[in-house]
Amino acid sequence: MAFSGALTLTDLNDFITPSQACIKPVEQSNPAPVHDPGAALTQIQVDSTGSYYEVSAVGRTDVDAKKLQTAEISLNDCLACSGCITSAESVLITLQSHTEVLNFLESNPILPAAAHRTPVLSIAPQSLASLAAALSSSSARPVGPAEVLARVRAFAIRVLGFEHVFDTTFARHIALLEHAREFSERRSGKGKEKGVAPLPMLASACPGWVCYAEKTHAEMLPFISAAKSPQQVMGTLVKEWMGAKWGRTPDQIYHVTVMPCYDKKLEASREDFCNDTYATRDVDCVITTGELDLLMREKGWDLSAPIPEELSPPSPSLNPLAIPELLAHPGSSSGSYLHSLIAALVASSQTPLTHTVRTLRNSDYEEHTVMDESGATVFRGARCYGFRNLQNLVRKVGREAGLQVGRGAAGRVGALRRARKAGPESEQEKGYDYVEVMACPGGCVNGGGQLRPMLGQEGAALESLPATEDGLEVQAPSAKWGDRAWTKKVEEAYWGAPPTPPPTPPPEVIGLEEREEEKRRRADRLAVELLYEMCSPGQDPPGDAAWDVHMGERADEMRRRLFRTQYRAVEGEVVGLAVKW
Amino acid sequence: MEEDLPYNVQLVTQLEGHDDRAWHVAWNPARPILASCSADKTVRLYNYRSTTDPDTATAPLEFSLNTTIPTGHAKTVRAVAWSPSGKTLATASFDSNIGIWAQDEDDEEGGGPQGEWECMSLLEGHETECKSIAYSSSGTLLASCSRDKTVWVWEVHPDSDFECMGVLMEHTQDVKCVAWHPHEEVRSILASASYDDTIKLYVDDPSEDWFCFTTLTGHTSTVWSLVFSPDGRYLASGSDDLTIRIWERVQEHRWECVSVLEGHDRSIYSVSWSRGKGEGHLGWLASTGGDGLILVWKISAVPTESGRDKLSHKIISRFPAAHGVSDVNSIVWCPRQGMEDVFATAGDDGAVKVWKIAQSST
C-alpha cells in the first residue's frame, strides 16, 4: 500500500530535511493580464541590475518586458508568519542595528534644517546591569548602574550627538501602574461585557513570550496583559509627551532604545506601535546591550574610565523634565511585575496579609501566595521564566481555564476525558491570578542581547563553575553553567551590588529606604501629571489623584490608546510542506 | 548464498491491516500485547498467547487483533512506546503532537484491562514532526524528539499529567531517535540520534536541568536508531552510513566507539538489543533497514590481559527481503520472559511481522 493514494510531501519528511523556509506568500501587485486560451505563456527574466521582468516565452525580450515588483520581506511579515522565529533575526539585525543608528546620525541634517530629527536614546536597566557586571569583572572597583548610565550618557551626547539620554525605569513605573490598573479591572470583572479578559493575567513585557503565544498558543492571548511594555511606554512618552514639550512632532524625533533582548526589535516594529499620521514608530531603532558595547568600542569610548559627572547627581540641565532616574522596583530583575501587584494588594488591604513564596523545581519558577489572617488565599501568582517552565505554565493555565490547549483532534478526545475526570480534587487549589512570564531562563538580565561572559578570560566565568557533589565531569565546560554564574553577577549588578540586597525582599519588608520612597512618590506624581496632560489637556489633576483615577470616557479612551495594546493570533495552518502532490 | 549460520529466522505470523506504511512496533512489557503504528494514523493492538506446552520447543504463538485506535492524530503516527507498567501507550506523530493513551478503568464497566483506549493527554510543544518517543526505565520520564531539532524531556505525573523538564536544542538537524539507558541510577541517561550524524547523551544536573554531557561522533551519515545493551554498558547505533557502531561506557560520563558492524547495503533504520537465549554473551542485536535484510548478531565480551573486555560480534542469523521489496522501518525484540527469541518488524508494505529465531538443525 506504500505509494497508493496521494503522496504527501509531509509524510516523506522522515527522509529529507528541508530547512525552515520562509513561507511569506508573494503578493502579485501587477495583475496578470487575461490572455486567450492557447496564448503564449510568459516567463520571468532577471536583468543585470537584478530587476525582474515578465517576458513572453517566445524569447522576445525587447518588447513587452514588464518590470515586476520586487518581493520584499519586512520585519512585519516575519512577525506575521508562523514559520521561523529564529530566521527573523537575520532580517531584524540588518534593519535595526548599531550601523543603522550610525547611518542615521551621520545623515541627520544639523539644526536648524527642517529635516533634522531629535535623536533620543533610552536604555533599559538590565542593559546597564550587564555593562556594569562586565566592567566590574575586569576592574578592581565595582561599577554600578548609575555610573554606567552617566558614562553612556556622556558617550551618546558627546560622541554620537544624541540630544537626550534616559533610562527606561520611569516608563516601567508607568507600565507597572497601568498593569496594576488592568489587573484590578480584570479581578473586579469590570469590562467583562466587552469581552475583557479573564484571570490569570499574564505579563506582556517579554516580546519573546508574546511572539511565541501569538504563533503557537492563541488560546493564551486573552490572558496576556494589554498594558504596553516599558519600552513601548517609553516610546509613547518620548514621541508624544516629551515631543510636545520640545515642540517636535513624532516624526521629528529619532528614538533609539538599548535593550537586553533581540525580540525587543520585533516588538518595536509591531504595527500597533506605529504612528500612521506621522509615518513613524514609537521606537525607531532597537539595539541590544551587545550592540551598544560594540558601538562604544568602535568609537573608541572607554566605558571603564570614570567621568567627573558620575559622582554628582545628574545636572538639571540634562533632565529638564525632572524624570526620576533609576527607579528601583523591588522584586524581580525582569521588571517586578508580580511584586508590584502584590505590594499594591498588601498596601491597600484593610487587614494584614501574609505573603509566602515557594520555589518549584528551580529559581525560575516561584509560586507566591498572599493570605489573610484566616488563612484564606487572597492572591496566587507565579514567576515563571524560561522556555521549559513556560510550557508547563501554558498547560496549567489552559487546564485551569478549561481550554483546549491544542490543535490536534486527539486533543479534543483528551479534553473530553479530562472534563469528565476533573473531580472536586481539582477545586482545592486556587488557580493563579497573575503570572510574570519571561521567555529567558533567569529573566531579562539573561536576555539574548546581553553581553556574554568572557569564558576563560580574566576568570570571569570559569572559576565559578560549580563542582557537583558526585564529581560529574562535564565534557564541554559549559557555556551553560558559566552562563548561570554570569547571570548571577548581572543580577547582582542590577541590584547595585555589592553588598547584595536580596533580589526578592522578604515579604514583610515591602517598605523601601527613604530616598527611594521619595523618588517613587515623585514618579507617581509625575505619572499622573503626564496622564492628564496627554489624555485630558487643560485639566489639572486633583491633588489626590492616583494613576487609576477615572478621568471621563474620552480621556480614558485616550489613555487606552496610549498605554495599552493588543495581540492577534498568527494563523499557523499555512504550512508550506503540507502540499498535496 | 545462505551461509551456515547457527540460527534461522522463522516467520511466526504476518499481521495485515494498516492501510499505509507501518512505521514502528512496540511490545507491551507487562501484558501480551503488541502495538503497531502507521502512516494511516492508527495504532493497532494485537493480543497473543502461546500454547502452554512447555515440552514443545516450537510452541506456536497466536496473534489476534485486540483493537484499532484511530488516534485522531492529523498525520502519520511515527512511533509508539509503552510505559514500563504496560498501562500507558505514547504515540509520536508527524502532526507534532504526542498522545498519551490508557484504558478506561471505570469501575461500573467491570474494571480491569477491558475498557477502550482513550487519549488521556496530549503533549504539545514540538514545532514539526515528532519522530521518536521513549519512557525511561522507571517510567517517570518521557522523552521525544522532532524534525524541529529538539529533544524534550517530560516528567510523568499522576493522572496522565506531564511536566516539561527540558527542551534540549543541541542537534543541528532533525532528531531521529531517543533512547533511555536501561538502568535508573542516580541519574538516567538519555541518548538522541540525528541527521547531523551525531549521537548526544544527556543527564540532568542537581537542579534538574537537562544538559548534553557528551557528543558521540564517528558515523558519516544520519544516525537512525539507538539502543542500549541490556546491561547498560554499551550503546548501539544504526546509521545511513551502513554501519552499526557500538559505544562502550569507559568512564561514568565517557563513551567510546569499540566496534563497527558491517553487513547491510542500505540505510540501517532500526536496531534492537535483547538478552537473547543462552549464557556467556551480552545478548542478541537485531538490525534492519532499507535493504529489507534482517541480521541478528551475537555480542560477546572477551576478557583481555589489560583487564578491559574486548567486544566481539558475530552474525548468527540472517533473513533477506523480510518485507518483500519494501523497506523495513523497525525491528524490536520481545522483552517478555521466555520470549527472548521473538521479535517483530514493521515495513513500508504496511505489514507487521512477528519472527522467531531457532537453532538451525544440523
Side-chain angles (χ1 to χ4, degrees), chain A residues 13-14 361 392 405 472, chain B residues 78 129 131 155 164 176 253:
Chain A
N13 280 347
D14 217 29
R361 301 270 178 207
N392 295 317
V405 184
L472 168 65
Chain B
R78 175 64 180 86
E129 292 85 342
K131 297 293 180 76
E155 189 174 68
C164 176
K176 301 294 190 185
H253 291 96

Side-chain angles (χ1 to χ4, degrees), chain A residues 216-240:
Chain A
T216 60
H217 287 290
E219 76 282 357
M220 289 294 121
L221 297 182
F223 295 98
I224 299 180
S225 164
K228 280 187 185 175
S229 72
Q231 169 174 272
Q232 294 312 134
V233 170
M234 194 66 199
T236 302
L237 292 186
V238 167
K239 291 265 171 146
E240 314 245 352

